[in-house]
Amino acid sequence: GESVGLHLPTLSVQEGDNSIINCAYSNSASDYFIWYKQESGKGPQFIIDIRSNMDKRQGQRVTVLLNKTVKHLSLQIAATQPGDSAVYFCAENRGGGSYIPTFGRGTSLIVHP
Amino acid sequence: DVKVTQSSRYLVKRTGEKVFLECVQDMDHENMFWYRQDPGLGLRLIYFSYDVKMKEKGDIPEGYSVSREKKERFSLILESASTNQTSMYLCASSSGLAAFFGQGTRLTVV
């Protein structure tokens, strides 16, 4: 069935490195994508979003890239810090005017000092 | 900032009990959601609501019901709690784009 998934369940990086977290989606009608960060014991926190008519969007230290041809989404975190350690989820709104976010399983980012 | 507040951080209930999880949002959002989160399974949608008194089943509604009597409040009800409903429950609200989440309720059914 259609789903949002992540390529890597765990990503370990050194402090100061750049991190790239990947996400594949299969619903070609999805028109809006969101990245969330979830720290231990907390609810998911909005990081950055991108609409399907864009291929790149930048925030503070984060960049989201969207490749609709291969249905791939990535989150790039520049100069990763220990405070970036968390589980990262991509989510898609199911398209066709739907506002219901569907989530992937998540990637755990571990930043070593 | 959007604030979504869940009434309890931790709950322990007995098998067979009726359990109410409450969620309140302060941003006048039309849409509200209940998810459960289990290790390795991500977030799965239980129910959602797009207006007062309106509700729709999500992907895993069995064993649950919901109530939305006021726009700001969305309640999840476990009619007869079972051990397989032990989980983290997350409430969210949105105006149509990004959803904003509460801090979660970790429910243990014994």
Side-chain angles (χ1 to χ4, degrees):
Chain A
E2 294 180 322
S3 65
V4 176
L6 290 166
H7 294 305
L8 296 174
T10 303
L11 177 64
S12 291
V13 300
Q14 291 296 128
E15 181 178 0
D17 287 352
N18 296 332
S19 303
I20 300 175
I21 301 171
N22 295 304
C23 179
Y25 66 95
S26 57
N27 184 353
S28 57
S30 295
D31 56 8
Y32 179 71
F33 303 87
I34 315 112
W35 280 101
Y36 289 92
K37 173 186 180 182
Q38 187 176 27
E39 296 174 282
S40 181
K42 297 183 180 179
Q45 178 185 6
F46 172 89
I47 302 173
I48 192 168
D49 59 356
I50 188 168
R51 293 181 185 266
S52 60
N53 60 355
M54 304 170 68
D55 54 18
K56 180 179 181 179
R57 189 158 189 227
Q58 288 185 290
Q60 187 177 15
R61 283 203 305 120
V62 295
T63 301
V64 55
L65 299 177
L66 176 62
N67 186 330
K68 294 181 287 295
T69 303
V70 295
K71 297 179 192 168
H72 184 267
L73 195 68
S74 68
L75 178 70
Q76 300 178 0
I77 304 173
T80 314
Q81 302 167 1
D84 294 326
S85 294
V87 176
Y88 289 81
F89 293 94
C90 66
E92 59 179 327
N93 282 11
R94 297 178 183 178
S98 170
Y99 51 86
I100 305 166
T102 302
F103 287 80
R105 289 188 174 84
T107 292
S108 176
L109 176 66
I110 300 170
V111 182
H112 300 282
Chain B
D1 284 351
V2 175
K3 191 165 185 182
V4 180
T5 303
Q6 295 182 229
S7 54
S8 303
R9 290 294 304 274
Y10 301 95
L11 276 178
V12 180
K13 296 292 181 180
R14 294 191 181 278
T15 301
E17 277 194 80
K18 190 169 185 176
V19 181
F20 293 85
L21 303 183
E22 307 287 347
C23 175
V24 177
Q25 52 98 0
D26 66 357
M27 283 302 293
D28 202 36
H29 285 166
E30 297 85 7
N31 311 311
M32 297 189 74
F33 310 87
W34 276 106
Y35 291 86
R36 67 176 281 176
Q37 183 176 24
D38 301 289
L41 296 179
L43 279 73
R44 293 181 291 166
L45 182 65
I46 305 173
Y47 266 97
F48 64 98
S49 168
Y50 54 89
D51 202 351
V52 175
K53 298 192 185 294
M54 305 305 289
K55 57 187 179 184
E56 295 287 345
K57 293 180 180 179
D59 300 317
I60 52 164
E62 295 78 18
Y64 303 95
S65 61
V66 290
S67 173
R68 194 164 180 203
E69 296 297 316
K70 293 184 178 181
K71 190 174 186 179
E72 67 270 20
R73 187 179 297 270
F74 192 36
S75 303
L76 180 69
I77 304 156
L78 286 67
E79 297 290 343
S80 177
S82 64
T83 54
N84 63 10
Q85 293 179 308
T86 291
S87 188
M88 169 72 90
Y89 290 88
L90 291 161
C91 175
S93 72
S94 83
S95 60
L97 294 176
F100 295 88
F101 284 83
Q103 77 276 26
T105 296
R106 184 164 294 281
L107 173 67
T108 302
V109 182
V110 298

